[in-house]
Amino acid sequence: MTFSSTIFSAFRLPITVSRRFFSSSQPSPTTPATSSPPNTKHDSLLAYALDRVRQGGTPHGANLVAYSGGVDSSLVAALVKRAFPTNSLACIGLSASLPSAQLSLAREIAAYIDIPLKEVTTAEGDTPGYVANRGLSCFHCKTHLYTALQAVAAEAQNYHEEVHHAKTNISLATETGANAQGGGNKPSFVVTLFNGTNADDRQDPTRVGLKAARNFRVRSPIDHLNKNEVRKLAQALGLPNWQHAASPCLRSRLALGVPAVEEHLRKVEAAEELVRATLGQGGREGGAAGLLGVHHNVRVRLLSEGKAVIEVDAELLESAASFFLAMEGRMKAELGFADVTLRAFKSGSVNGLGGTTRIRNKGHGGEEVEQVSASFASSSCHRNCAEK
């Protein structure tokens, strides 16, 4: 029996492992994956990333990947699986901050990579510093995630020791003399944690989630690659989500100071689902004629006093304005938002707002539609939440 069939299948903590590819009941993660043409630079980057994984990982224990289904952690999961095919495991944290659509995508991508997926419940919502949402939420969130991964590692190690102990007892019962005395040598068992931090992430000194990773000695084998290089390597490996827009945790939708409680997180998730259904994701969701591609960004930001801001990529703003009144009406009536506006997407926009300018656009039926543009302060940890 192989290592993977014992520790990852007989493991007492349940593991979600899907061997299927993309089902007809779920939207495909993207158009059919195509590998990029041969590229010497990409080959060199891939070889170096694999070498970093091999040097940092272990053939004699478990290699755990902090995984979200985003392109960064998916690339790391694929590299770890390639380097250590029998003792690698992807782990995703389950909490109110994880969008259900992202969990579905993460499961599909893990199945595509053919790496076992462990779903672990995290409890950052019980931490006052996380709920307060005053700038340290990412640190608390990542701390809970890596603590949960350490618990998975400990369970794996305990199981390994139990198996060794059972084998030793069998050996002692069937052997005699010197042979039996030598049966108790405990084999080493090492656990390594990996994440999907890239070079662009390292450039932001306010990325407090990275501090938690350092505290837990998590290895970042692609932190020499920028985001574009990550996508190119993911494409070269045929990963179906190579061009997907980032999908950060739902907490990142809350303006600084808006409490990160489950009610708020579920509210923005439902609002984003409404917006996507209205605008139409690739023509599959019955809304507009496929305005949204997998590479497009859509956010619903929750501000103070129950106000919401819909953000879409600038190239979609004019088309989205045609459907604004319908979205606004439903978000107020069905989800209880006090006010709804529309503006261009900006990463980390609710970590600080400058002045706003209101303009008027003609809507789908010729009606006046209000749109808000704004100047933004830099993001403090928005992108770091993407690999939750």
Side-chain angles (χ1 to χ4, degrees), residues 337-362:
F337 287 102
D339 184 55
V340 182
T341 51
L342 173 69
R343 69 185 179 207
F345 167 77
K346 176 69 176 181
S347 178
S349 62
V350 291
N351 287 315
L353 294 176
T356 60
T357 303
R358 294 178 180 269
I359 59 178
R360 309 290 290 187
N361 284 334
K362 290 293 182 179

Side-chain angles (χ1 to χ4, degrees), residues 14-27:
I15 295 174
T16 300
V17 184
S18 176
R19 296 302 178 189
R20 60 186 173 81
F21 283 77
F22 307 107
S23 67
S24 58
S25 62
Q26 294 286 343

Side-chain angles (χ1 to χ4, degrees), residues 88-368:
S88 298
L89 179 67
C91 299
I92 188 169
L94 302 182
S95 72
S97 67
L98 177 67
S100 57
Q102 185 64 21
L103 176 58
S104 296
L105 176 64
R107 288 168 174 167
E108 298 286 2
I109 299 301
Y112 189 94
I113 296 171
D114 197 29
I115 187 171
L117 177 60
K118 178 79 176 90
E119 299 175 7
V120 295
T121 299
T122 58
E124 63 270 19
D126 296 334
T127 304
Y130 173 84
V131 175
N133 192 25
R134 292 289 182 182
L136 292 176
S137 293
C138 285
F139 173 79
H140 294 297
C141 178
K142 295 294 184 183
T143 297
H144 277 275
L145 174 63
Y146 295 132
T147 298
L149 264 60
Q150 280 198 334
V152 172
E155 184 72 10
Q157 186 166 7
N158 290 339
Y159 182 81
H160 172 80
E161 291 177 353
E162 288 177 12
V163 170
H164 172 70
H165 181 69
K167 289 181 177 179
T168 300
N169 287 341
I170 292 173
S171 177
L172 290 172
T174 57
E175 297 180 17
T176 60
N179 290 336
Q181 296 299 319
N185 294 330
K186 181 190 294 186
S188 61
F189 186 94
V190 180
V191 177
T192 303
L193 303 183
F194 292 93
N195 68 13
T197 298
N198 63 46
D200 293 341
D201 300 334
R202 294 289 191 195
Q203 299 305 310
D204 186 351
T206 65
R207 299 285 299 279
V208 293
L210 299 182
K211 297 178 182 178
R214 288 196 295 270
N215 290 345
F216 285 84
R217 299 181 180 179
V218 182
R219 299 183 183 276
S220 305
I222 61 168
D223 64 358
H224 61 295
L225 303 175
N226 61 40
K227 190 70 174 189
N228 184 60
E229 291 170 332
V230 168
R231 292 193 183 279
K232 290 296 184 181
L233 288 191
Q235 183 185 18
L237 291 179
L239 296 184
N241 60 340
W242 68 271
Q243 60 179 338
H244 273 224
S247 181
C249 75
L250 294 170
R251 202 280 317 158
S252 69
R253 273 71 154 176
L254 308 181
L256 201 66
V258 174
V261 295
E262 185 170 359
E263 177 187 358
H264 291 160
L265 299 172
R266 295 306 182 200
K267 192 171 184 176
V268 294
E269 180 179 21
E272 286 189 5
E273 290 176 352
L274 186 155
V275 171
R276 289 185 179 278
T278 302
L279 300 182
Q281 182 79 52
R284 299 175 64 96
E285 296 186 12
L291 286 180
L292 301 178
V294 295
H295 60 288
H296 286 130
N297 294 285
V298 173
R299 301 284 189 275
V300 173
R301 312 290 194 185
L302 179 59
L303 311 182
S304 61
E305 300 178 346
K307 298 178 181 179
V309 178
I310 301 170
E311 293 184 0
V312 296
D313 288 333
E315 65 190 83
L316 299 176
L317 203 52
E318 184 176 352
S319 297
S322 300
F323 298 89
F324 174 73
L325 288 183
M327 295 186 292
E328 177 191 31
R330 291 188 61 190
M331 287 174 63
K332 287 181 176 180
E334 299 174 20
L335 300 176
F337 287 102
D339 184 55
V340 182
T341 51
L342 173 69
R343 69 185 179 207
F345 167 77
K346 176 69 176 181
S347 178
S349 62
V350 291
N351 287 315
L353 294 176
T356 60
T357 303
R358 294 178 180 269
I359 59 178
R360 309 290 290 187
N361 284 334
K362 290 293 182 179
H364 186 60
E367 67 273 18
E368 294 285 312

